[in-house]
Amino acid sequence: MVSLEKTFSEIYHLFGLDRIKSKVLAFTLLAILIPTLTMGWQSFHLNKQFITAKISEELQNATTHTVREFNLWLKERFYEMRVFSSSYEVTENLEKLLRGSVSSGAPNLAHRRLTDFLKLVQGKFSDYEALMVVAPDGKVLSTSKDKPEAPKLLPDWLHQAKAGESMVGEVYWDETRQKGILAIAVPIKSPNGKVLGILSGKLNFRSVEKILKGFSLGKTAQVYLVQRDGSVILSSRDIGTAFLKARLSDKVVEALFKNEQDAKVAGLDPEALEYLDPEGTPVLGTLWSVAKLPWGAVAEIGRKEAYAKSTRIVNLTLMMLGGLLAVMGLAAYFLGFTIVRPLERLTEGASKVAGGNLEVKVPVVGHGEVAYLTEVFNDMVGHLRQSRTELAAANATLSEKNKVLKELSITDGLTGLFNRKHLMEVLVQEINRARRFKHPFSILMIDIDHFKQYNDTYGHLAGDRLLAQIGALFKSTLRDIDFAARYGGEEFLIMFPEVGVEGASKGGERLRAKVESDQFIFEGRPTPVRVSIGVSTFPEHGSTAEALIEKADAALYQAKRKGRNRVVVADGALQKAASS
């Protein structure tokens, strides 16, 4: 032990720590620096991971929503084009032009009527800059513009037309119109199925630009569509004549597409990558591919803005560390003049308590303030130990009671389904969610047919058992995401999230058939039970919970008037049971 003390003394002397106060000061500084820097670095690392994950999620939501909205927009345009191409004005007059009939000036009349039709259609639909009818040989036979324009389709457009496919052509900058253009086309077929030509349209991106500009991820964030070669098509920022001129590097584009593919293979959402945007600014971004097109939707945010919170935490940590060093260094300098060993014992004890060990008792040595402090410390630890035991028991009891109370507050005691109060809260939440994401959802108002006869025949207790059986049937039949509640009396309400009128009607019919086929035993013998169901859907039948319930209730009473045991959709659409 003596030799060990000599060794330490030499080390202390080497660093100028011969005096007790210097040793206390050095110890204090190290005790502050090591854990503070370690915890600070760990906190910074974890915070950065959390921020990156959060940003990745927000950027991914933006890209997938952009792709979904763009695909919907393009699908609507193709639907319109097919409606236009199947018009009698198009097919009949195109056949006349292709036959080259000269009787009574038919070709000129057919050309004029076809042109007038195209101009009329274009004038009513703002997404189209031009419409044109193109013959199989590539000649433009008629156009909505005074001056014929090339359709700018891909080389195999005729083969695609004969196959009945919709065609997407080039995206380019139109100098005349000073806007970006996307060429699309659909085949024009005669009544006997022969391909007469194609109807080509030149689309502007006005609607798509509104979609992109609707995102708000941050001051430096943007969402844009990019081609495989890295050229930017559209952006949530106003790029003007920079259409297709701003571009990401090939390396960045390849990394973004590969990152998306790797994530899809792994069944995960792609994490945000760090790269330089077209302006050379460091950003975090993700990409999601556009189906059937060599495009991708990119959402990105400036790296500096993304990690601004993390940077503030680092700066705050450094400031706090500096303050702690100054204060504790000064305190340690003066405390170095006083007793060391009792203080070390107290420090050790306090460290154990901080680590959660309350089985600590520091020996009391000597007299004076430090001894008194040791006694107080031991007494405090004893109280803490007792308080922790009592608090743990109280928390366990309170937690269990809270669970029971919460369950009772939202559950119908008879059927085990949710009660009406909780139902209204969930309906309001679902309406807000459906309105935000533009998704439908439906509700079923269900009433047990002739329930009063069951009560009168078998008694109220049997009626209660029937309600409980119906509730159990609903629980076992519905999906996990569906919501079932007892509305009141013998009425139940079921909600189908993200299900439209048709799906809800079919779901209601399945429930009706399930009730009809199930076995309900009263007084030892099977008794048939039937239900009537009314269906309403958000937003077709209402935009509030009260309106949807009112519509479903009206449909339910219509089902009653129609003979019961059936499903009726609000506003009169009726589905009869197979065994009405």
Side-chain angles (χ1 to χ4, degrees):
M1 290 296 294
V2 175
S3 60
L4 183 61
E5 289 181 8
K6 288 182 177 180
T7 302
F8 278 110
S9 296
E10 293 296 328
I11 295 175
Y12 293 151
H13 179 73
L14 181 64
F15 289 97
L17 301 177
D18 297 314
R19 304 178 66 181
I20 293 178
K21 61 179 181 181
S22 299
K23 295 176 183 178
V24 173
L25 178 60
F27 175 81
T28 304
L29 294 178
L30 290 175
I32 294 173
L33 281 173
I34 294 175
T36 303
L37 291 177
T38 302
M39 295 298 293
W41 170 252
Q42 185 178 15
S43 175
F44 169 77
H45 182 66
L46 293 176
N47 184 263
K48 185 176 180 181
Q49 284 184 329
F50 173 80
I51 291 175
T52 301
K54 184 67 175 178
I55 291 172
S56 297
E57 180 182 0
E58 293 177 353
L59 295 178
Q60 178 62 19
N61 289 339
T63 56
T64 53
H65 183 70
T66 299
V67 170
R68 184 168 59 250
E69 292 296 326
F70 177 81
N71 287 337
L72 178 61
W73 173 80
L74 191 59
K75 182 179 179 181
E76 291 174 348
R77 302 294 81 75
F78 275 124
Y79 174 80
E80 293 167 354
M81 292 282 286
R82 288 190 177 275
V83 172
F84 302 159
S85 66
S86 62
S87 170
Y88 175 84
E89 289 289 336
V90 174
T91 56
E92 182 70 17
N93 289 304
L94 179 55
E95 283 186 313
K96 290 180 180 179
L97 288 175
L98 293 176
R99 288 198 304 266
S101 173
V102 295
S103 59
S104 303
N108 290 334
L109 178 60
H111 181 272
R112 186 168 61 254
R113 293 185 63 181
L114 186 56
T115 300
D116 290 342
F117 176 79
L118 296 180
K119 289 183 177 180
L120 177 65
V121 169
Q122 186 206 328
K124 291 184 177 182
F125 294 85
S126 61
D127 288 305
Y128 298 89
E129 292 296 323
L131 291 169
M132 61 194 77
V133 174
V134 183
D137 61 0
K139 181 181 179 182
V140 178
L141 299 180
S142 180
T143 176
S144 61
K145 295 298 181 182
D146 297 330
K147 186 177 180 180
E149 301 175 357
K152 290 188 181 279
L153 297 174
L154 298 180
D156 63 339
W157 65 268
L158 183 57
H159 175 75
Q160 290 179 290
K162 290 181 178 180
E165 298 176 358
S166 300
M167 291 151 274
V168 178
E170 298 178 11
V171 57
Y172 61 96
W173 177 258
D174 190 313
E175 291 292 343
T176 303
R177 298 181 177 90
Q178 287 294 293
K179 60 182 63 177
I181 297 296
L182 174 65
I184 66 171
V186 295
I188 302 174
K189 295 183 179 180
S190 64
N192 61 10
K194 178 183 178 182
V195 176
L196 303 176
I198 62 170
L199 176 64
S200 177
K202 293 189 175 184
L203 303 178
N204 58 53
F205 292 98
R206 186 181 299 119
S207 299
V208 182
E209 288 176 343
K210 290 181 180 179
I211 295 173
L212 296 182
K213 291 181 179 179
F215 291 99
S216 178
L217 300 175
K219 295 180 181 179
T220 61
Q222 65 172 325
V223 181
Y224 54 86
L225 294 175
V226 64
Q227 297 190 98
R228 277 279 184 175
D229 62 0
S231 57
V232 178
I233 302 170
L234 291 174
S235 172
S236 55
R237 299 175 184 173
D238 189 8
I239 61 176
T241 57
F243 186 87
L244 297 179
K245 294 180 181 178
R247 73 174 51 241
L248 290 170
S249 69
D250 294 341
K251 184 177 180 181
V252 170
V253 174
E254 180 181 356
L256 287 171
F257 276 100
K258 185 177 184 302
N259 183 47
E260 180 216 17
Q261 292 303 318
D262 293 344
K264 286 183 176 179
V265 171
L268 303 172
D269 289 334
E271 292 186 359
L273 299 181
E274 291 190 25
Y275 57 90
L276 299 180
D277 69 2
E279 299 175 1
T281 304
V283 296
L284 294 175
T286 60
L287 175 143
W288 197 257
S289 298
V290 178
K292 299 181 181 180
L293 287 175
W295 297 6
V298 177
E300 61 187 27
I301 186 172
R303 188 183 185 283
K304 184 176 180 181
E305 180 182 1
Y307 293 128
K309 291 183 179 179
S310 183
T311 303
R312 287 197 297 270
I313 290 175
V314 172
N315 294 336
L316 181 60
T317 301
L318 292 176
M319 290 176 61
M320 291 177 61
L321 178 59
L324 281 172
L325 287 174
V327 174
M328 297 305 296
L330 184 62
Y333 178 80
F334 289 105
L335 288 175
F337 292 100
T338 60
I339 302 172
V340 176
R341 183 53 188 159
L343 187 59
E344 288 178 349
R345 287 196 290 266
L346 282 174
T347 302
E348 292 173 2
S351 179
K352 292 179 181 179
V353 172
N357 181 10
L358 297 182
E359 303 299 323
V360 175
K361 186 172 183 179
V362 179
V364 180
V365 179
H367 305 279
E369 294 83 0
V370 176
Y372 175 74
L373 180 61
T374 303
E375 292 176 350
V376 172
F377 175 82
N378 289 334
D379 186 58
M380 178 188 68
V381 173
H383 285 297
L384 286 175
R385 186 164 51 245
Q386 181 180 355
S387 298
R388 185 172 69 175
T389 302
E390 295 173 353
L391 182 60
N395 283 341
T397 303
L398 183 61
S399 178
E400 191 64 31
K401 290 183 177 180
N402 284 340
K403 289 181 181 178
V404 174
L405 288 174
K406 182 178 180 181
E407 190 69 23
L408 290 175
S409 68
I410 65 174
T411 304
D412 175 63
L414 178 61
T415 63
L417 302 178
F418 292 111
N419 58 28
R420 182 169 179 173
K421 177 179 177 295
H422 187 56
L423 159 69
M424 299 306 294
E425 295 173 351
V426 172
L427 267 182
V428 171
Q429 294 172 2
E430 184 62 22
I431 287 173
N432 293 334
R433 191 181 74 87
R435 185 178 290 118
R436 181 167 65 253
F437 295 107
K438 302 189 185 310
H439 290 169
F441 75 90
S442 301
I443 64 171
L444 309 181
M445 183 67 78
I446 304 175
D447 184 84
I448 301 175
D449 295 334
H450 303 298
F451 181 76
K452 185 176 183 301
Q453 293 181 9
Y454 293 104
N455 278 338
D456 294 340
T457 303
Y458 303 107
H460 289 282
L461 292 179
D464 288 347
R465 287 198 300 272
L466 175 58
L467 292 174
Q469 286 182 273
I470 292 292
L473 184 147
F474 289 163
K475 278 187 175 181
S476 64
T477 305
L478 296 175
R479 305 172 301 172
D480 291 339
I481 64 172
D482 297 332
F483 180 89
R486 184 183 179 190
Y487 188 73
E490 68 271 22
E491 288 187 327
F492 300 86
L493 189 144
I494 294 176
M495 182 179 68
F496 291 149
E498 300 190 19
V499 174
V501 173
E502 183 178 354
S505 180
K506 291 180 180 179
E509 180 57 28
R510 284 195 298 271
L511 286 176
R512 185 209 62 76
K514 177 67 176 174
V515 173
E516 185 178 32
S517 64
D518 212 346
Q519 291 290 327
F520 297 90
I521 307 300
F522 293 93
E523 294 184 357
R525 62 178 182 274
T527 302
V529 176
R530 306 288 186 267
V531 295
S532 298
I533 302 176
V535 181
S536 66
T537 299
F538 176 89
E540 288 92 331
H541 300 128
S543 59
T544 64
E546 291 77 9
L548 288 173
I549 292 174
E550 182 179 356
K551 285 286 188 178
D553 200 49
L556 170 63
Y557 281 102
Q558 185 180 358
K560 295 286 188 180
R561 290 195 297 271
K562 294 288 184 178
R564 296 182 170 84
N565 190 29
R566 64 193 61 215
V567 179
V568 171
V569 178
D571 297 333
L574 174 64
Q575 290 192 355
K576 293 185 178 179
S579 56
S580 297

